[in-house]
Amino acid sequence: MWALGLNTGILDAISLPWRLAWVARGWADDALLDGYGREQQPVAAKGSGEMAEASRKYMSGQTEDVKAMSGDAWANAMTRTMLGVRLDVDQSGDWSMVKTEKGPVRVGERIPDCTLQGPQGRPIRLHELMDDSFVALYFADARRRPEIPQDAPGLKHRIVSRWDAPLDSGLRERSLFDVGDLFRQRTGCDVGTVVLVRRTITWPLFFR
């Protein structure tokens, strides 16, 4: 359904290479590779059935039971693209190929792109920030000088704040100014939350 085989193939290509690279570089041990099967197996084995069942209901006129294909332009667009996929990254059993509702970002979903303000007020797109690394985002009040770890191979640490970091805090180069607190609200995170964004090709995944 809707090139599902292609989508799952792309998900395979997204999920496996970075794991191999991290193990090869010595950033992780072989156990990291096990996550590939745990995340991809439900989507590959059950995702086609989920979408086929939704399609059958839609074709038979049971549209009230198929929110993702009920004619709502947003739900249709999300379901018919890879944006509707949610991977079971935290092993909770919460995965889906069918996007049915708007709302805060959930663990395992693709985090939305946004424009934040970097050092010297330079605009930075979130997805561009992750071109060569994963990113840990600390939703905090930069004025309070929160402690964040130093960057490590494959992982950047950045504060996301609606307030500028003090000039003498040493944090301005690693702070992202969230105008109007809009990005934090879009993710549904409280102040004090740390999220990991796992960048793999063009698929930044959200972890809380």
Side-chain angles (χ1 to χ4, degrees):
M1 304 299 296
W2 303 316
L4 181 62
L6 175 60
N7 281 354
T8 52
I10 292 173
L11 287 172
D12 280 343
I14 286 170
S15 183
L16 183 59
W18 75 266
R19 299 176 191 274
L20 293 172
W22 277 48
V23 172
R25 293 170 180 168
W27 296 354
D29 60 32
D30 291 353
L32 181 68
L33 301 176
D34 297 336
Y36 163 68
R38 289 195 301 266
E39 288 182 15
Q40 298 305 118
Q41 193 274 344
V43 171
K46 303 176 184 178
S48 58
E50 181 189 29
M51 295 190 76
E53 179 62 21
S55 181
R56 278 193 292 270
K57 289 181 178 179
Y58 181 74
M59 297 287 284
S60 64
Q62 303 176 52
T63 54
E64 68 279 2
D65 298 326
V66 194
K67 295 180 181 178
M69 292 182 288
S70 62
D72 180 276
W74 179 88
N76 272 305
M78 295 295 283
T79 297
R80 291 170 184 256
T81 69
M82 291 181 67
L83 296 177
V85 177
R86 181 172 63 254
L87 299 179
D88 187 14
V89 297
D90 59 355
Q91 304 303 297
S92 65
D94 185 19
W95 66 273
S96 182
M97 289 288 288
V98 178
K99 187 77 171 180
T100 61
E101 58 192 15
K102 295 182 181 180
V105 183
R106 295 168 63 178
V107 171
E109 292 183 343
R110 190 175 192 267
I111 195 167
D113 199 6
C114 70
T115 299
L116 301 167
Q117 303 298 317
Q120 290 81 48
R122 178 169 49 89
I124 295 177
R125 298 199 68 83
L126 178 63
H127 288 187
E128 293 174 357
L129 182 66
M130 297 175 288
D131 278 348
D132 59 356
S133 177
F134 295 176
V135 179
L137 301 176
Y138 298 75
F139 291 100
D141 184 344
R143 300 172 301 175
R144 298 183 180 276
R145 305 167 189 256
E147 293 186 11
I148 64 172
Q150 295 298 315
D151 292 350
L155 178 61
K156 300 173 185 174
H157 300 270
R158 296 294 182 267
I159 296 171
V160 178
S161 175
R162 65 181 303 180
W163 310 102
D164 280 332
L167 288 171
D168 62 348
S169 66
L171 294 172
R172 291 182 72 88
E173 292 299 316
R174 296 201 294 155
S175 294
L176 301 171
F177 179 45
D178 182 13
V179 178
D181 210 26
L182 296 179
F183 176 60
R184 184 190 66 80
Q185 294 177 33
R186 172 66 183 87
T187 62
C189 292
D190 296 326
V191 174
T193 302
V194 180
V195 302
L196 173 66
V197 185
R198 193 180 82 193
R199 173 73 174 197
T200 50
I201 309 179
T202 58
W203 190 271
L205 285 180
F206 176 84
F207 296 74
R208 189 187 298 246

